[in-house]
Amino acid sequence: QDPSSASDSVAPVIRKKITSHVGFSNLPNQVRKKSVKDGFQLTVMVVGESGLGKTTLINTLFNSTIYMPREPLHPAQDRPKTVAIENIQADIEENGVQLRLNVVDTPGFGDFVNNSDSWTPILDTIEQRFDAYLTQENRVRRQKIADSRVHACLYFIQPTGHSLKQIDIDFMRRLHLKVNLIPVISKADTMNEEEIADFKERILSDLAFHDIRIFQAPVYEDEDEEGIAESEEITRAIPFAVVGSDRAVRTADGRIVRGRAYPWGVVEVDDPTHCDFGKLRQMLVRTNLEDLRTHTNQVLYEHWRTERLLSMGVTQDPSVFQEINPAERLREERVIHLAKLAKLEASMKDVFQEKVEIQERKLKQSEVELYARHKEMKDALNKQYEQLAQKKAQLENGTPDTRKRMFRG
Ligand code: GDP
């Protein structure tokens, strides 16, 4: 089955086939070798106000025209009333390794007069995708599960240099437990180094103040020193200050690079001293691609599923969720159910047996009593009979005086 089919119910998919150099095929970590063999699948959502450079950045990240920039709306044109959800699918091949990339675009976010509910359709699509996965997991006869769950959400922050805006906080607060949030400061070429450092600090303190959790790359015990240093460098750069450009430009020293040309020089997308683009790409498609998928599956989806099952009245030990696969879980639920039935039946049998014994004891008791009464009556009758027989004999044998006395007596 086509892995994209679950998302088809959410929004139509545009498909592309691309050959480009992204960097996912030469992974630094041995753990990911299996994925290299099987190919990767990554679903990235992009959220941010229009004009912040989302299209450009996605095309720069995957080194291809994944999608075309949108024409700005003409003032006279009717504006859409809600945030739309659009899927673009690209199969990227690199050194014989496949990456199926799904980009979930959210045009319209933050573009309205009132943006207080801009996050709603986005939260809906994330939960619908979880739901589609759960439905397939619960099927008795399961084929390969189509997974349209969102693995990462690139949230674009306007390079204001101030602090986060209300819309940014509203969105991230609603979504941080549902998706791996990766905040990026867009168009970082509009700020100088110091401004970027201050802005990053303010953003991080805003996130901490609002208790918003962004994606944290895990630290592996078996990682070598170089790997640990690289991971720390990436983590320190969050929120990534990025520059996007799908154009090749010539530098002062004659090199052709991806960048943005200004009268005073060229900002190079791939130069780590100019911006964090390289670190973002490193995290997304190389170092942490598998971690994003794993965290989505084992933490975000499981958290959602537990809440969902609880809301449906099903209670389960959440610690069991992570270790057991759905078929195993069903089998275990059946075993527990049968054990409960057997226990109920056994206790009913005990109660029944006890009641029968009480009745038997009562019957026996009344039988004894009945027999005793019967014997008592019989003895009394026998005694009476003997007395009468005695009197009769005396009457027959006795004198008239005796008879008179007897009748008087
Ligand atoms: P979207 O509406 O968020 O998808 O934004 P686009 O990718 O269509 O970009 C909007 C405009 O910003 C275009 O003119 C881009 O050339 C420009 N742009 C994109 N990325 C950058 C960037 O990193 N720096 C600067 N200065 N401009 C950018």
Side-chain angles (χ1 to χ4, degrees):
Q1 197 175 346
D2 185 343
S4 70
S5 59
S7 62
D8 285 357
S9 61
V10 182
V13 175
I14 303 162
R15 292 192 172 83
K16 297 196 170 219
K17 202 163 179 72
I18 289 157
T19 310
S20 70
H21 185 78
V22 180
F24 59 84
S25 61
N26 35 9
L27 287 174
N29 197 321
Q30 293 295 311
V31 180
R32 289 132 199 163
K33 265 203 166 156
K34 190 181 169 295
S35 305
V36 172
K37 196 172 126 275
D38 297 346
F40 300 95
Q41 191 243 332
L42 181 69
T43 301
V44 183
M45 177 181 256
V46 282
V47 183
E49 290 162 58
S50 70
L52 284 186
K54 302 183 294 295
T55 314
T56 312
L57 191 82
I58 288 292
N59 289 343
T60 317
L61 268 173
F62 297 98
N63 208 14
S64 36
T65 310
I66 305 273
Y67 62 123
M68 300 298 288
R70 249 168 259 280
E71 288 294 322
L73 284 177
H74 190 272
Q77 236 174 314
D78 269 350
R79 291 184 164 265
K81 300 267 181 312
T82 53
V83 174
I85 305 294
E86 287 177 12
N87 295 297
I88 299 117
Q89 188 180 85
D91 285 321
I92 306 176
E93 194 186 314
E94 178 180 290
N95 301 335
V97 181
Q98 296 285 339
L99 170 69
R100 170 156 288 189
L101 173 73
N102 297 300
V103 178
V104 183
D105 193 11
T106 56
F109 178 85
D111 295 345
F112 309 105
V113 178
N114 178 2
N115 289 304
S116 56
D117 278 346
S118 268
W119 50 270
T120 314
I122 299 173
L123 180 63
D124 286 350
T125 189
I126 287 177
E127 296 199 322
Q128 278 163 19
R129 286 156 191 260
F130 280 162
D131 221 350
Y133 195 84
L134 180 63
T135 308
Q136 295 176 84
E137 255 189 348
N138 286 343
R139 265 189 212 143
V140 180
R141 285 178 64 238
R142 271 183 293 126
Q143 294 120 2
K144 196 171 183 297
I145 294 185
D147 187 2
S148 64
R149 294 172 299 178
V150 178
H151 303 121
C153 171
L154 293 182
Y155 186 78
F156 285 68
I157 299 166
Q158 198 183 350
T160 59
H162 299 289
S163 49
L164 288 177
K165 294 197 283 183
Q166 194 56 43
I167 187 172
D168 304 328
I169 294 163
D170 284 347
F171 176 83
M172 291 197 261
R173 264 184 47 218
R174 258 49 178 239
L175 273 287
H176 73 135
L177 296 178
K178 300 281 175 358
V179 70
N180 288 315
L181 277 181
I182 304 179
V184 298
I185 301 167
S186 68
K187 300 188 178 180
D189 52 326
T190 58
M191 298 169 88
N192 69 31
E193 212 174 324
E194 205 179 316
E195 285 165 344
I196 287 176
D198 286 350
F199 193 33
K200 281 187 177 185
E201 212 169 286
R202 267 196 289 276
I203 291 171
L204 289 177
S205 74
D206 272 354
L207 292 174
F209 180 78
H210 292 283
D211 213 6
I212 294 167
R213 279 180 243 171
I214 54 173
F215 175 70
Q216 295 289 334
V219 180
Y220 292 104
E221 279 172 14
D222 59 346
E223 196 116 45
D224 55 23
E225 268 178 37
E226 202 185 326
I228 293 173
E230 190 185 63
S231 292
E232 281 175 356
E233 205 187 332
I234 291 177
T235 307
R236 265 202 307 277
I238 296 174
F240 302 108
V242 294
V243 175
S245 166
D246 36 20
R247 301 248 170 89
V249 291
R250 187 182 290 275
T251 61
D253 56 5
R255 286 176 297 122
I256 303 288
V257 296
R258 295 195 299 175
R260 305 190 78 85
Y262 290 102
W264 52 89
V266 166
V267 178
E268 293 181 39
V269 165
D270 295 289
D271 186 334
T273 62
H274 290 194
C275 75
D276 300 326
F277 172 84
K279 295 190 185 82
L280 168 66
R281 187 185 54 184
Q282 180 78 11
M283 179 192 226
L284 198 62
V285 294
R286 297 187 68 189
T287 321
N288 301 114
L289 191 151
E290 283 298 288
D291 300 324
L292 287 162
R293 289 172 50 86
T294 309
H295 194 255
T296 303
N297 185 44
Q298 293 184 353
V299 180
L300 304 169
Y301 171 67
E302 284 304 336
H303 180 257
W304 172 86
R305 197 168 71 105
T306 310
E307 281 191 341
R308 168 99 194 187
L309 291 177
L310 284 174
S311 74
M312 284 160 55
V314 182
T315 48
Q316 282 184 3
D317 177 4
S319 64
V320 177
F321 286 155
Q322 300 200 358
E323 290 127 25
I324 308 174
N325 69 33
E328 184 65 15
R329 199 171 55 241
L330 274 181
R331 196 191 63 76
E332 217 161 85
E333 276 170 9
R334 210 177 117 75
V335 170
I336 293 169
H337 181 66
L338 289 177
K340 271 188 192 163
L341 272 184
K343 203 172 157 192
L344 194 69
E345 200 182 329
S347 84
M348 278 172 77
K349 263 188 188 159
D350 285 350
V351 172
F352 180 73
Q353 191 63 33
E354 202 180 318
K355 285 197 168 163
V356 167
E357 280 171 12
I358 292 171
Q359 282 302 331
E360 271 179 0
R361 271 203 302 277
K362 272 189 186 164
L363 275 175
K364 256 191 195 137
Q365 179 76 19
S366 42
E367 199 181 339
V368 170
E369 281 170 9
L370 212 65
Y371 179 73
R373 275 227 318 267
H374 172 76
K375 193 170 174 292
E376 207 177 300
M377 272 167 71
K378 202 175 151 190
D379 289 349
L381 282 172
N382 279 341
K383 206 170 166 188
Q384 242 179 334
Y385 178 76
E386 275 169 26
Q387 280 172 352
L388 283 172
Q390 238 175 20
K391 276 183 186 173
K392 191 185 163 203
Q394 281 173 356
L395 272 174
E396 282 170 357
N397 303 329
T399 59
D401 281 355
T402 346
R403 267 181 239 149
K404 262 185 214 163
R405 252 188 286 132
M406 276 180 73
F407 280 111
R408 256 187 269 137

